[in-house]
C-alpha cells in the first residue's frame, strides 16, 4: 500500500496530494486540475513532503489561498493558484495519519505513528501568506491516529485506545485534561461530527479531571 490523502475541491480546482512512502522511489505529486474539465493546471513534486496520510487544509490570507500539508517532520504551505511554496517549517512528528485541525488562525498537528507522538498548536499569520506559523505550545500526552478537533476554544484529541484529552487551545492554559473510555476499543476517527458530539455551550461541558503533562 502507499500513503494516501483525500482530494480537496477549492473554487474551480480539484487538488490531489499523493505523498510517497518513506522507502518508495516514486516522487510525491501534488496536482491541481480544473474540476469541470479535468485539465491539469499545475503539478509539483516537493522532496520534503512524504510518508503521511492526513488531508491537507485550506487557509486564506488576503487574496492568497494556501494549501497546508502536514508531512514527515515538516509542515508546508503552497499557493493553490500556482503550486508555489510559500513556507515550510520543521516539526518533530513523523508518520502522521491524523489530519490537522484549524479554527481561525489556530492550527493543530497531532499524532505520529513513528517518531515523537505529540500535539502541537500553532498560530498562522492572518496578514502575510509568506510568514510561517509560530508554535504556541506542545504536549507529549498520548495521542493516536484520530484527527484532533478544535471547538469553542478547546482542543480535543482521541487516542486509538479511547483516551480523550481536552486542552485549552490558547497558550495561556495548555494543561491537558483527560477522560478514558472503553479500553477494548480501537479508534482511527472521531465517531461523530463535532457539532453533534461535543457540548454546545460552556454550561453543558463536562467537568474534565486535570492532569499534568
Amino acid at each position: 500500500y502507499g500513503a494516501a490523502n483525500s482530494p480537496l475541491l477549492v473554487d474551480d480546482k480539484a487538488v490531489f496530494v499523493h505523498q510517497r512512502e518513506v522507502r518508495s522511489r516514486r516522487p510525491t505529486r501534488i496536482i491541481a486540475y480544473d474540476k469541470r474539465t479535468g485539465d491539469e493546471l499545475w503539478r509539483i513534486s516537493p522532496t520534503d513532503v512524504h510518508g503521511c496520510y492526513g488531508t491537507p487544509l485550506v487557509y486564506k490570507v488576503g487574496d492568497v489561498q494556501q494549501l497546508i500539508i502536514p508531512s514527515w517532520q515538516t509542515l508546508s504551505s503552497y499557493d493553490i493558484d500556482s503550486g508555489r511554496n510559500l513556507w515550510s517549517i520543521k516539526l518533530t512528528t513523523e508518520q502522521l495519519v491524523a489530519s490537522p485541525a484549524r479554527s481561525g488562525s489556530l492550527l493543530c498537528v497531532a499524532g505520529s505513528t513513528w517518531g515523537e507522538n505529540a500535539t502541537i498548536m500553532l498560530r498562522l499569520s492572518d496578514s502575510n501568506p509568506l510568514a510561517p506559523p509560530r508554535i504556541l505550545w506542545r504536549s507529549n500526552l498520548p495521542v493516536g491516529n484520530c484527527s484532533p478537533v478544535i471547538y469553542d476554544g478547546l482542543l480535543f484529541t482521541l487516542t486509538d485506545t479511547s483516551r480523550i484529552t481536552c486542552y485549552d487551545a490558547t497558550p495561556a492554559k495548555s494543561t491537558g485534561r483527560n477522560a478514558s473510555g472503553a479500553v477494548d476499543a480501537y479508534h482511527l476517527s472521531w465517531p461523530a461530527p463535532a457539532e453533534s458530539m461535543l457540548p454546545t455551550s460552556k454550561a453543558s461541558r463536562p467537568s474534565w479531571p486535570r492532569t499534568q503533562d
Side-chain angles (χ1 to χ4, degrees), residues 139-172:
S139 170
N140 291 324
L141 287 173
V143 59
N145 292 319
C146 301
S147 300
V149 171
I150 303 174
Y151 181 85
D152 198 18
L154 299 176
L155 170 71
F156 296 85
T157 62
L158 172 65
T159 70
D160 304 343
T161 54
S162 303
R163 172 172 171 154
I164 301 174
T165 302
C166 172
Y167 302 88
D168 291 303
T170 53

Side-chain angles (χ1 to χ4, degrees), residues 38-102:
D39 293 338
E40 185 175 309
L41 302 176
W42 53 261
R43 174 190 295 241
I44 58 174
S45 294
T47 58
D48 59 350
V49 176
H50 62 85
C52 292
Y53 300 81
T55 300
L57 56 78
V58 177
Y59 179 62
K60 189 173 184 179
V61 178
D63 295 330
V64 179
Q65 294 260 41
Q66 298 186 50
L67 180 71
I68 298 177
I69 304 175
S71 189
W72 191 285
Q73 296 186 348
T74 303
L75 182 68
S76 301
S77 171
Y78 297 88
D79 185 340
I80 284 183
D81 286 336
S82 65
R84 178 172 68 105
N85 179 241
L86 299 174
W87 50 258
S88 294
I89 64 169
K90 288 297 183 183
L91 298 178
T92 54
T93 51
E94 294 185 354
Q95 190 183 54
L96 288 165
V97 176
S99 298
R102 184 180 71 83

Side-chain angles (χ1 to χ4, degrees), residues 178-206:
N178 72 87
S180 297
V183 295
D184 59 347
Y186 184 77
H187 301 288
L188 291 176
S189 64
W190 281 99
E195 286 291 337
S196 61
M197 180 188 67
L198 299 176
T200 56
S201 68
K202 292 182 178 180
S204 61
R205 288 177 184 164

